[in-house]
Amino acid sequence: QVQMVESGGGSVQAGGSLRLSCAASGSIFRINAMGWYRQAPGKQRELVATITPIGTTNYADSVKGRFTISRDNAKNTVYLQMNSLKVEDTAVYYCNTASWSGSESPLNGYWGQGTQVTVSS
């Protein structure tokens, strides 16, 4: 069974940085694109960044130029470096699989607990 374990969230002021990590178990990680999703209270889930096993990345317009996704295939881990954080980045961040073309394709039932990111002004 694939499980996602997210970590690295916290509270920062606007303009600050955080680095999120997601450890995934199982061989699915190695052959799937991975993505970082976020959900703010009262809002729909948003896919913010994806990365394929060969390193091709895609970003939502809202984070382009500020966030960087990367992955370590040997460690089954995907990262999200978040710089120049804004108040509107406040959300719970989750990782899950994604499509190779950069769209949502999560494994439902395998969502982790997420990690809270809170950005204050």
Side-chain angles (χ1 to χ4, degrees), residues 42-112:
K43 294 188 177 180
Q44 286 190 328
R45 186 179 67 208
E46 177 187 16
L47 176 62
V48 296
T50 65
I51 186 168
T52 68
I54 59 173
T56 303
T57 58
N58 279 283
Y59 297 92
D61 288 342
S62 58
V63 306
K64 201 170 293 183
R66 300 187 298 120
F67 290 11
T68 302
I69 189 170
S70 61
R71 64 190 287 161
D72 186 332
N73 291 333
K75 296 181 178 179
N76 288 351
T77 300
V78 61
Y79 305 95
L80 187 68
Q81 177 67 44
M82 304 186 297
N83 299 327
S84 302
L85 282 161
K86 302 178 179 181
V87 172
E88 51 264 42
D89 294 320
T90 296
V92 180
Y93 284 72
Y94 304 88
C95 70
N96 208 315
T97 56
S99 77
W100 280 61
S101 61
S103 60
E104 289 199 15
S105 185
L107 289 173
N108 290 314
Y110 294 109
W111 293 99

Short mmCIF file of all heavy atoms in Angstrom, two decimals, residues 42-112:
data_model
loop_
_atom_site.label_atom_id
_atom_site.label_comp_id
_atom_site.label_asym_id
_atom_site.label_seq_id
_atom_site.Cartn_x
_atom_site.Cartn_y
_atom_site.Cartn_z
N GLY A 42 -12.51 26.34 2.94
CA GLY A 42 -13.57 26.88 2.11
C GLY A 42 -13.25 26.94 0.63
O GLY A 42 -14.04 27.46 -0.15
N LYS A 43 -12.09 26.43 0.25
CA LYS A 43 -11.69 26.48 -1.17
C LYS A 43 -11.49 25.08 -1.71
O LYS A 43 -11.27 24.12 -0.97
CB LYS A 43 -10.41 27.30 -1.32
CG LYS A 43 -10.57 28.77 -0.99
CD LYS A 43 -9.34 29.56 -1.36
CE LYS A 43 -9.54 31.04 -1.10
NZ LYS A 43 -8.32 31.83 -1.47
N GLN A 44 -11.55 24.98 -3.03
CA GLN A 44 -11.31 23.69 -3.67
C GLN A 44 -9.82 23.34 -3.64
O GLN A 44 -8.96 24.21 -3.56
CB GLN A 44 -11.80 23.74 -5.12
CG GLN A 44 -13.31 23.71 -5.26
CD GLN A 44 -13.75 23.52 -6.70
OE1 GLN A 44 -13.08 23.96 -7.62
NE2 GLN A 44 -14.87 22.82 -6.88
N ARG A 45 -9.56 22.07 -3.72
CA ARG A 45 -8.18 21.61 -3.81
C ARG A 45 -7.52 22.15 -5.08
O ARG A 45 -8.14 22.24 -6.13
CB ARG A 45 -8.16 20.08 -3.83
CG ARG A 45 -6.78 19.47 -3.78
CD ARG A 45 -6.89 17.96 -3.77
NE ARG A 45 -7.42 17.44 -5.03
CZ ARG A 45 -8.10 16.30 -5.13
NH1 ARG A 45 -8.36 15.59 -4.06
NH2 ARG A 45 -8.53 15.89 -6.31
N GLU A 46 -6.27 22.50 -4.95
CA GLU A 46 -5.51 23.08 -6.07
C GLU A 46 -4.22 22.31 -6.25
O GLU A 46 -3.50 22.05 -5.28
CB GLU A 46 -5.22 24.55 -5.78
CG GLU A 46 -4.37 25.24 -6.85
CD GLU A 46 -3.96 26.65 -6.46
OE1 GLU A 46 -4.05 26.99 -5.26
OE2 GLU A 46 -3.53 27.41 -7.34
N LEU A 47 -3.92 21.95 -7.47
CA LEU A 47 -2.64 21.33 -7.78
C LEU A 47 -1.63 22.45 -8.03
O LEU A 47 -1.83 23.27 -8.94
CB LEU A 47 -2.76 20.45 -9.02
CG LEU A 47 -1.49 19.78 -9.53
CD1 LEU A 47 -0.91 18.84 -8.50
CD2 LEU A 47 -1.78 19.02 -10.84
N VAL A 48 -0.54 22.48 -7.29
CA VAL A 48 0.38 23.60 -7.41
C VAL A 48 1.64 23.27 -8.20
O VAL A 48 2.22 24.15 -8.83
CB VAL A 48 0.77 24.18 -6.04
CG1 VAL A 48 -0.43 24.75 -5.34
CG2 VAL A 48 1.45 23.15 -5.16
N ALA A 49 2.07 22.01 -8.17
CA ALA A 49 3.30 21.65 -8.89
C ALA A 49 3.36 20.15 -9.12
O ALA A 49 2.86 19.38 -8.29
CB ALA A 49 4.54 22.09 -8.10
N THR A 50 3.94 19.77 -10.24
CA THR A 50 4.12 18.35 -10.54
C THR A 50 5.53 18.10 -11.07
O THR A 50 6.17 19.01 -11.61
CB THR A 50 3.11 17.84 -11.57
OG1 THR A 50 3.35 18.49 -12.83
CG2 THR A 50 1.68 18.11 -11.13
N ILE A 51 5.96 16.85 -10.93
CA ILE A 51 7.27 16.45 -11.45
C ILE A 51 7.21 15.00 -11.89
O ILE A 51 6.68 14.15 -11.17
CB ILE A 51 8.39 16.68 -10.40
CG1 ILE A 51 9.76 16.40 -11.01
CG2 ILE A 51 8.15 15.87 -9.14
CD1 ILE A 51 10.91 16.89 -10.14
N THR A 52 7.72 14.72 -13.07
CA THR A 52 7.74 13.35 -13.58
C THR A 52 8.99 12.63 -13.07
O THR A 52 9.91 13.27 -12.55
CB THR A 52 7.77 13.34 -15.11
OG1 THR A 52 9.04 13.86 -15.55
CG2 THR A 52 6.64 14.18 -15.70
N PRO A 53 9.04 11.32 -13.23
CA PRO A 53 10.25 10.59 -12.79
C PRO A 53 11.52 11.04 -13.49
O PRO A 53 12.63 10.83 -12.97
CB PRO A 53 9.91 9.14 -13.13
CG PRO A 53 8.43 9.08 -13.03
CD PRO A 53 7.95 10.40 -13.56
N ILE A 54 11.41 11.67 -14.66
CA ILE A 54 12.60 12.14 -15.37
C ILE A 54 12.85 13.63 -15.13
O ILE A 54 13.74 14.20 -15.75
CB ILE A 54 12.51 11.85 -16.88
CG1 ILE A 54 11.29 12.52 -17.50
CG2 ILE A 54 12.51 10.35 -17.13
CD1 ILE A 54 11.24 12.40 -19.03
N GLY A 55 12.06 14.23 -14.26
CA GLY A 55 12.35 15.59 -13.83
C GLY A 55 11.62 16.70 -14.53
O GLY A 55 11.89 17.88 -14.27
N THR A 56 10.68 16.38 -15.40
CA THR A 56 9.88 17.43 -16.04
C THR A 56 8.90 18.03 -15.03
O THR A 56 8.21 17.28 -14.35
CB THR A 56 9.11 16.86 -17.23
OG1 THR A 56 10.05 16.26 -18.15
CG2 THR A 56 8.34 17.95 -17.94
N THR A 57 8.87 19.34 -14.95
CA THR A 57 8.04 20.00 -13.95
C THR A 57 6.95 20.87 -14.58
O THR A 57 7.09 21.35 -15.71
CB THR A 57 8.90 20.87 -13.02
OG1 THR A 57 9.59 21.85 -13.80
CG2 THR A 57 9.90 20.03 -12.25
N ASN A 58 5.89 21.07 -13.82
CA ASN A 58 4.82 22.00 -14.18
C ASN A 58 4.38 22.72 -12.92
O ASN A 58 4.39 22.13 -11.83
CB ASN A 58 3.63 21.25 -14.80
CG ASN A 58 3.84 20.93 -16.26
OD1 ASN A 58 3.73 21.79 -17.12
ND2 ASN A 58 4.16 19.69 -16.54
N TYR A 59 3.97 23.97 -13.08
CA TYR A 59 3.55 24.77 -11.94
C TYR A 59 2.26 25.52 -12.25
O TYR A 59 2.00 25.93 -13.38
CB TYR A 59 4.63 25.81 -11.59
CG TYR A 59 5.94 25.21 -11.16
CD1 TYR A 59 6.95 24.97 -12.09
CD2 TYR A 59 6.16 24.88 -9.83
CE1 TYR A 59 8.15 24.41 -11.69
CE2 TYR A 59 7.37 24.33 -9.43
CZ TYR A 59 8.36 24.09 -10.36
OH TYR A 59 9.55 23.53 -9.96
N ALA A 60 1.46 25.69 -11.21
CA ALA A 60 0.31 26.57 -11.32
C ALA A 60 0.81 28.00 -11.47
O ALA A 60 1.86 28.38 -10.92
CB ALA A 60 -0.56 26.44 -10.08
N ASP A 61 0.06 28.81 -12.19
CA ASP A 61 0.46 30.20 -12.40
C ASP A 61 0.65 30.94 -11.07
O ASP A 61 1.50 31.82 -10.96
CB ASP A 61 -0.57 30.92 -13.26
CG ASP A 61 -0.54 30.47 -14.70
OD1 ASP A 61 0.47 29.86 -15.14
OD2 ASP A 61 -1.53 30.72 -15.42
N SER A 62 -0.13 30.56 -10.08
CA SER A 62 -0.10 31.26 -8.81
C SER A 62 1.22 31.08 -8.05
O SER A 62 1.53 31.86 -7.15
CB SER A 62 -1.26 30.82 -7.92
OG SER A 62 -1.22 29.42 -7.71
N VAL A 63 1.99 30.05 -8.40
CA VAL A 63 3.24 29.79 -7.67
C VAL A 63 4.46 29.83 -8.56
O VAL A 63 5.58 29.71 -8.08
CB VAL A 63 3.18 28.43 -6.94
CG1 VAL A 63 1.95 28.34 -6.05
CG2 VAL A 63 3.21 27.26 -7.94
N LYS A 64 4.25 30.00 -9.84
CA LYS A 64 5.36 29.96 -10.80
C LYS A 64 6.39 31.05 -10.44
O LYS A 64 6.03 32.20 -10.18
CB LYS A 64 4.83 30.16 -12.21
CG LYS A 64 5.73 29.66 -13.32
CD LYS A 64 4.99 29.68 -14.65
CE LYS A 64 3.87 28.67 -14.70
NZ LYS A 64 3.20 28.63 -16.02
N GLY A 65 7.65 30.65 -10.42
CA GLY A 65 8.71 31.59 -10.08
C GLY A 65 9.01 31.69 -8.61
O GLY A 65 10.02 32.28 -8.20
N ARG A 66 8.13 31.12 -7.78
CA ARG A 66 8.33 31.17 -6.32
C ARG A 66 8.56 29.79 -5.73
O ARG A 66 9.28 29.64 -4.75
CB ARG A 66 7.12 31.82 -5.65
CG ARG A 66 6.84 33.22 -6.10
CD ARG A 66 5.73 33.87 -5.27
NE ARG A 66 4.46 33.18 -5.39
CZ ARG A 66 3.80 32.64 -4.36
NH1 ARG A 66 4.31 32.70 -3.14
NH2 ARG A 66 2.63 32.05 -4.56
N PHE A 67 7.89 28.78 -6.28
CA PHE A 67 7.98 27.42 -5.77
C PHE A 67 8.82 26.56 -6.72
O PHE A 67 8.80 26.76 -7.94
CB PHE A 67 6.60 26.79 -5.65
CG PHE A 67 5.73 27.34 -4.57
CD1 PHE A 67 6.04 28.51 -3.88
CD2 PHE A 67 4.54 26.70 -4.24
CE1 PHE A 67 5.24 29.01 -2.89
CE2 PHE A 67 3.70 27.20 -3.25
CZ PHE A 67 4.05 28.35 -2.58
N THR A 68 9.54 25.60 -6.14
CA THR A 68 10.33 24.66 -6.92
C THR A 68 10.08 23.25 -6.41
O THR A 68 10.28 22.98 -5.22
CB THR A 68 11.83 24.97 -6.84
OG1 THR A 68 12.08 26.30 -7.30
CG2 THR A 68 12.62 23.99 -7.72
N ILE A 69 9.65 22.38 -7.29
CA ILE A 69 9.42 20.98 -6.93
C ILE A 69 10.62 20.16 -7.37
O ILE A 69 11.23 20.43 -8.43
CB ILE A 69 8.12 20.44 -7.56
CG1 ILE A 69 7.77 19.06 -7.00
CG2 ILE A 69 8.19 20.45 -9.08
CD1 ILE A 69 6.37 18.57 -7.41
N SER A 70 10.98 19.19 -6.57
CA SER A 70 12.08 18.28 -6.92
C SER A 70 11.78 16.91 -6.32
O SER A 70 10.87 16.78 -5.50
CB SER A 70 13.41 18.82 -6.41
OG SER A 70 13.40 18.95 -4.99
N ARG A 71 12.53 15.92 -6.73
CA ARG A 71 12.30 14.58 -6.21
C ARG A 71 13.62 13.83 -6.13
O ARG A 71 14.54 14.06 -6.91
CB ARG A 71 11.29 13.80 -7.05
CG ARG A 71 11.72 13.52 -8.47
CD ARG A 71 10.56 12.98 -9.30
NE ARG A 71 10.21 11.60 -8.95
CZ ARG A 71 9.04 11.02 -9.25
NH1 ARG A 71 8.12 11.72 -9.90
NH2 ARG A 71 8.81 9.77 -8.92
N ASP A 72 13.67 12.92 -5.17
CA ASP A 72 14.81 12.00 -5.02
C ASP A 72 14.25 10.60 -5.19
O ASP A 72 13.63 10.06 -4.26
CB ASP A 72 15.45 12.20 -3.64
CG ASP A 72 16.71 11.38 -3.46
OD1 ASP A 72 16.83 10.31 -4.10
OD2 ASP A 72 17.58 11.80 -2.68
N ASN A 73 14.45 10.03 -6.35
CA ASN A 73 13.86 8.73 -6.64
C ASN A 73 14.45 7.62 -5.78
O ASN A 73 13.78 6.63 -5.48
CB ASN A 73 14.03 8.39 -8.11
CG ASN A 73 13.20 9.27 -9.01
OD1 ASN A 73 12.15 9.78 -8.59
ND2 ASN A 73 13.66 9.50 -10.23
N ALA A 74 15.69 7.78 -5.35
CA ALA A 74 16.32 6.77 -4.50
C ALA A 74 15.69 6.74 -3.11
O ALA A 74 15.70 5.71 -2.43
CB ALA A 74 17.81 7.03 -4.40
N LYS A 75 15.16 7.90 -2.70
CA LYS A 75 14.56 7.99 -1.36
C LYS A 75 13.04 8.00 -1.40
O LYS A 75 12.40 8.15 -0.36
CB LYS A 75 15.05 9.26 -0.66
CG LYS A 75 16.55 9.28 -0.40
CD LYS A 75 16.95 10.56 0.32
CE LYS A 75 18.43 10.58 0.64
NZ LYS A 75 18.83 11.85 1.32
N ASN A 76 12.46 7.88 -2.60
CA ASN A 76 10.99 7.94 -2.73
C ASN A 76 10.44 9.21 -2.07
O ASN A 76 9.42 9.16 -1.37
CB ASN A 76 10.33 6.70 -2.12
CG ASN A 76 10.55 5.45 -2.94
OD1 ASN A 76 11.05 5.52 -4.06
ND2 ASN A 76 10.21 4.32 -2.38
N THR A 77 11.10 10.31 -2.30
CA THR A 77 10.73 11.55 -1.63
C THR A 77 10.61 12.68 -2.66
O THR A 77 11.42 12.80 -3.57
CB THR A 77 11.78 11.93 -0.57
OG1 THR A 77 11.86 10.88 0.40
CG2 THR A 77 11.38 13.22 0.14
N VAL A 78 9.58 13.49 -2.48
CA VAL A 78 9.37 14.67 -3.31
C VAL A 78 9.40 15.89 -2.40
O VAL A 78 8.93 15.83 -1.25
CB VAL A 78 8.07 14.57 -4.12
CG1 VAL A 78 6.85 14.45 -3.22
CG2 VAL A 78 7.92 15.73 -5.08
N TYR A 79 9.96 16.96 -2.91
CA TYR A 79 10.12 18.19 -2.12
C TYR A 79 9.40 19.36 -2.78
O TYR A 79 9.18 19.36 -4.00
CB TYR A 79 11.61 18.53 -2.00
CG TYR A 79 12.46 17.42 -1.43
CD1 TYR A 79 13.15 16.53 -2.26
CD2 TYR A 79 12.58 17.24 -0.05
CE1 TYR A 79 13.94 15.51 -1.75
CE2 TYR A 79 13.36 16.22 0.48
CZ TYR A 79 14.03 15.36 -0.38
OH TYR A 79 14.80 14.34 0.14
N LEU A 80 9.09 20.35 -1.98
CA LEU A 80 8.56 21.60 -2.51
C LEU A 80 9.24 22.75 -1.77
O LEU A 80 8.99 22.96 -0.58
CB LEU A 80 7.04 21.69 -2.33
CG LEU A 80 6.39 22.90 -3.00
CD1 LEU A 80 6.48 22.78 -4.53
CD2 LEU A 80 4.93 23.04 -2.58
N GLN A 81 10.12 23.45 -2.46
CA GLN A 81 10.76 24.62 -1.92
C GLN A 81 9.87 25.82 -2.21
O GLN A 81 9.57 26.10 -3.37
CB GLN A 81 12.14 24.83 -2.54
CG GLN A 81 12.86 26.07 -2.07
CD GLN A 81 13.24 26.02 -0.60
OE1 GLN A 81 13.72 25.01 -0.10
NE2 GLN A 81 13.01 27.13 0.11
N MET A 82 9.44 26.49 -1.15
CA MET A 82 8.52 27.61 -1.31
C MET A 82 9.20 28.88 -0.84
O MET A 82 9.56 29.01 0.34
CB MET A 82 7.25 27.35 -0.49
CG MET A 82 6.57 26.04 -0.84
SD MET A 82 4.98 25.83 0.00
CE MET A 82 5.52 25.80 1.70
N ASN A 83 9.41 29.80 -1.75
CA ASN A 83 10.02 31.09 -1.45
C ASN A 83 9.02 32.22 -1.68
O ASN A 83 8.00 32.03 -2.33
CB ASN A 83 11.25 31.31 -2.33
CG ASN A 83 12.33 30.26 -2.12
OD1 ASN A 83 12.51 29.76 -1.01
ND2 ASN A 83 13.05 29.93 -3.17
N SER A 84 9.35 33.37 -1.15
CA SER A 84 8.49 34.55 -1.32
C SER A 84 7.03 34.23 -1.01
O SER A 84 6.12 34.56 -1.78
CB SER A 84 8.61 35.09 -2.75
OG SER A 84 9.94 35.43 -3.06
N LEU A 85 6.82 33.57 0.11
CA LEU A 85 5.47 33.13 0.47
C LEU A 85 4.53 34.30 0.65
O LEU A 85 4.91 35.37 1.14
CB LEU A 85 5.53 32.27 1.72
CG LEU A 85 6.00 30.83 1.47
CD1 LEU A 85 6.47 30.18 2.77
CD2 LEU A 85 4.89 30.02 0.85
N LYS A 86 3.28 34.06 0.27
CA LYS A 86 2.23 35.06 0.38
C LYS A 86 1.15 34.54 1.32
O LYS A 86 1.01 33.34 1.53
CB LYS A 86 1.63 35.33 -1.00
CG LYS A 86 2.63 35.81 -2.03
CD LYS A 86 1.95 36.00 -3.39
CE LYS A 86 2.92 36.50 -4.44
NZ LYS A 86 2.26 36.70 -5.77
N VAL A 87 0.36 35.46 1.84
CA VAL A 87 -0.73 35.07 2.73
C VAL A 87 -1.65 34.07 2.04
O VAL A 87 -2.13 33.11 2.65
CB VAL A 87 -1.51 36.32 3.19
CG1 VAL A 87 -2.76 35.91 3.95
CG2 VAL A 87 -0.63 37.22 4.04
N GLU A 88 -1.87 34.26 0.76
CA GLU A 88 -2.77 33.38 0.01
C GLU A 88 -2.20 31.98 -0.22
O GLU A 88 -2.88 31.11 -0.77
CB GLU A 88 -3.17 34.01 -1.32
CG GLU A 88 -2.02 34.50 -2.16
CD GLU A 88 -1.75 35.99 -1.97
OE1 GLU A 88 -1.79 36.47 -0.81
OE2 GLU A 88 -1.47 36.67 -2.98
N ASP A 89 -0.95 31.74 0.18
CA ASP A 89 -0.39 30.39 0.11
C ASP A 89 -0.79 29.55 1.32
O ASP A 89 -0.50 28.35 1.37
CB ASP A 89 1.14 30.44 0.03
CG ASP A 89 1.65 31.07 -1.25
OD1 ASP A 89 1.08 30.79 -2.32
OD2 ASP A 89 2.63 31.85 -1.17
N THR A 90 -1.44 30.17 2.28
CA THR A 90 -1.88 29.46 3.48
C THR A 90 -2.84 28.34 3.10
O THR A 90 -3.85 28.57 2.44
CB THR A 90 -2.55 30.42 4.46
OG1 THR A 90 -1.58 31.37 4.91
CG2 THR A 90 -3.12 29.67 5.66
N ALA A 91 -2.51 27.12 3.51
CA ALA A 91 -3.32 25.95 3.16
C ALA A 91 -2.69 24.72 3.80
O ALA A 91 -1.58 24.78 4.35
CB ALA A 91 -3.38 25.76 1.65
N VAL A 92 -3.41 23.62 3.72
CA VAL A 92 -2.82 22.32 4.03
C VAL A 92 -2.27 21.77 2.72
O VAL A 92 -2.98 21.74 1.71
CB VAL A 92 -3.84 21.36 4.64
CG1 VAL A 92 -3.17 20.01 4.94
CG2 VAL A 92 -4.42 21.94 5.92
N TYR A 93 -1.02 21.35 2.74
CA TYR A 93 -0.35 20.85 1.54
C TYR A 93 -0.24 19.33 1.61
O TYR A 93 0.15 18.77 2.63
CB TYR A 93 1.04 21.48 1.42
CG TYR A 93 1.00 22.91 0.96
CD1 TYR A 93 0.53 23.92 1.79
CD2 TYR A 93 1.40 23.27 -0.32
CE1 TYR A 93 0.47 25.24 1.37
CE2 TYR A 93 1.36 24.59 -0.75
CZ TYR A 93 0.88 25.56 0.11
OH TYR A 93 0.82 26.87 -0.32
N TYR A 94 -0.58 18.71 0.51
CA TYR A 94 -0.55 17.26 0.38
C TYR A 94 0.27 16.87 -0.86
O TYR A 94 0.34 17.62 -1.82
CB TYR A 94 -1.95 16.69 0.18
CG TYR A 94 -2.96 17.05 1.24
CD1 TYR A 94 -3.72 18.23 1.15
CD2 TYR A 94 -3.21 16.21 2.31
CE1 TYR A 94 -4.66 18.55 2.11
CE2 TYR A 94 -4.16 16.52 3.28
CZ TYR A 94 -4.88 17.68 3.16
OH TYR A 94 -5.82 18.00 4.11
N CYS A 95 0.82 15.69 -0.82
CA CYS A 95 1.41 15.15 -2.04
C CYS A 95 0.63 13.91 -2.46
O CYS A 95 0.00 13.23 -1.64
CB CYS A 95 2.89 14.82 -1.87
SG CYS A 95 3.24 13.42 -0.82
N ASN A 96 0.66 13.64 -3.74
CA ASN A 96 0.00 12.48 -4.30
C ASN A 96 0.48 12.34 -5.73
O ASN A 96 1.26 13.17 -6.22
CB ASN A 96 -1.52 12.62 -4.25
CG ASN A 96 -2.24 11.28 -4.16
OD1 ASN A 96 -1.90 10.36 -4.89
ND2 ASN A 96 -3.22 11.18 -3.27
N THR A 97 0.05 11.32 -6.39
CA THR A 97 0.45 11.16 -7.78
C THR A 97 -0.22 12.22 -8.66
O THR A 97 -1.21 12.85 -8.27
CB THR A 97 0.09 9.76 -8.29
OG1 THR A 97 -1.31 9.54 -8.09
CG2 THR A 97 0.88 8.69 -7.54
N ALA A 98 0.33 12.40 -9.84
CA ALA A 98 -0.20 13.35 -10.80
C ALA A 98 -0.01 12.76 -12.20
O ALA A 98 0.62 11.70 -12.35
CB ALA A 98 0.51 14.69 -10.68
N SER A 99 -0.54 13.41 -13.19
CA SER A 99 -0.35 12.93 -14.55
C SER A 99 0.98 13.45 -15.09
O SER A 99 1.51 14.46 -14.62
CB SER A 99 -1.49 13.39 -15.45
OG SER A 99 -1.30 14.75 -15.78
N TRP A 100 1.52 12.75 -16.08
CA TRP A 100 2.77 13.19 -16.67
C TRP A 100 2.61 14.53 -17.40
O TRP A 100 3.59 15.23 -17.63
CB TRP A 100 3.29 12.13 -17.64
CG TRP A 100 3.99 10.98 -16.97
CD1 TRP A 100 3.45 10.12 -16.05
CD2 TRP A 100 5.35 10.58 -17.11
NE1 TRP A 100 4.38 9.20 -15.64
CE2 TRP A 100 5.56 9.45 -16.28
CE3 TRP A 100 6.42 11.05 -17.89
CZ2 TRP A 100 6.80 8.79 -16.19
CZ3 TRP A 100 7.65 10.40 -17.80
CH2 TRP A 100 7.82 9.28 -16.96
N SER A 101 1.40 14.88 -17.74
CA SER A 101 1.17 16.15 -18.44
C SER A 101 0.94 17.31 -17.48
O SER A 101 0.71 18.44 -17.92
CB SER A 101 -0.03 16.01 -19.37
OG SER A 101 -1.20 15.69 -18.63
N GLY A 102 0.98 17.02 -16.18
CA GLY A 102 0.90 18.11 -15.21
C GLY A 102 -0.48 18.39 -14.66
O GLY A 102 -0.72 19.44 -14.07
N SER A 103 -1.39 17.46 -14.82
CA SER A 103 -2.73 17.64 -14.28
C SER A 103 -2.96 16.70 -13.11
O SER A 103 -2.15 15.83 -12.82
CB SER A 103 -3.78 17.42 -15.36
OG SER A 103 -3.68 16.11 -15.87
N GLU A 104 -4.09 16.88 -12.45
CA GLU A 104 -4.41 16.05 -11.30
C GLU A 104 -4.64 14.59 -11.71
O GLU A 104 -5.33 14.33 -12.68
CB GLU A 104 -5.68 16.57 -10.60
CG GLU A 104 -5.51 17.86 -9.86
CD GLU A 104 -6.61 18.09 -8.83
OE1 GLU A 104 -7.33 17.13 -8.49
OE2 GLU A 104 -6.73 19.22 -8.34
N SER A 105 -4.08 13.70 -10.94
CA SER A 105 -4.33 12.27 -11.10
C SER A 105 -3.95 11.57 -9.80
O SER A 105 -3.03 10.74 -9.77
CB SER A 105 -3.53 11.70 -12.28
OG SER A 105 -3.88 10.33 -12.49
N PRO A 106 -4.65 11.92 -8.72
CA PRO A 106 -4.26 11.37 -7.43
C PRO A 106 -4.76 9.95 -7.24
O PRO A 106 -5.74 9.53 -7.86
CB PRO A 106 -4.94 12.31 -6.44
CG PRO A 106 -6.17 12.76 -7.16
CD PRO A 106 -5.78 12.85 -8.60
N LEU A 107 -4.06 9.22 -6.40
CA LEU A 107 -4.53 7.91 -5.97
C LEU A 107 -5.47 8.15 -4.81
O LEU A 107 -5.02 8.39 -3.68
CB LEU A 107 -3.35 7.03 -5.55
CG LEU A 107 -2.43 6.52 -6.66
CD1 LEU A 107 -1.22 5.83 -6.07
CD2 LEU A 107 -3.19 5.60 -7.59
N ASN A 108 -6.75 8.11 -5.08
CA ASN A 108 -7.71 8.35 -4.01
C ASN A 108 -7.65 7.22 -2.99
O ASN A 108 -7.49 6.06 -3.33
CB ASN A 108 -9.12 8.47 -4.60
CG ASN A 108 -9.28 9.76 -5.38
OD1 ASN A 108 -8.88 10.83 -4.93
ND2 ASN A 108 -9.85 9.67 -6.56
N GLY A 109 -7.71 7.59 -1.75
CA GLY A 109 -7.57 6.61 -0.69
C GLY A 109 -6.16 6.56 -0.13
O GLY A 109 -5.91 5.89 0.86
N TYR A 110 -5.24 7.28 -0.80
CA TYR A 110 -3.86 7.29 -0.35
C TYR A 110 -3.38 8.67 0.07
O TYR A 110 -2.18 8.91 0.13
CB TYR A 110 -2.95 6.73 -1.45
CG TYR A 110 -3.20 5.27 -1.73
CD1 TYR A 110 -3.81 4.86 -2.91
CD2 TYR A 110 -2.83 4.30 -0.80
CE1 TYR A 110 -4.05 3.52 -3.15
CE2 TYR A 110 -3.07 2.96 -1.04
CZ TYR A 110 -3.67 2.57 -2.22
OH TYR A 110 -3.90 1.26 -2.46
N TRP A 111 -4.31 9.56 0.32
CA TRP A 111 -3.92 10.87 0.80
C TRP A 111 -3.30 10.75 2.19
O TRP A 111 -3.79 10.03 3.04
CB TRP A 111 -5.12 11.80 0.86
CG TRP A 111 -5.68 12.14 -0.48
CD1 TRP A 111 -6.76 11.58 -1.10
CD2 TRP A 111 -5.19 13.13 -1.38
NE1 TRP A 111 -6.95 12.16 -2.33
CE2 TRP A 111 -6.01 13.12 -2.53
CE3 TRP A 111 -4.12 14.04 -1.34
CZ2 TRP A 111 -5.81 13.97 -3.62
CZ3 TRP A 111 -3.91 14.89 -2.41
CH2 TRP A 111 -4.75 14.85 -3.54
N GLY A 112 -2.23 11.50 2.42
CA GLY A 112 -1.63 11.56 3.74
C GLY A 112 -2.36 12.56 4.61
O GLY A 112 -3.42 13.07 4.26
#
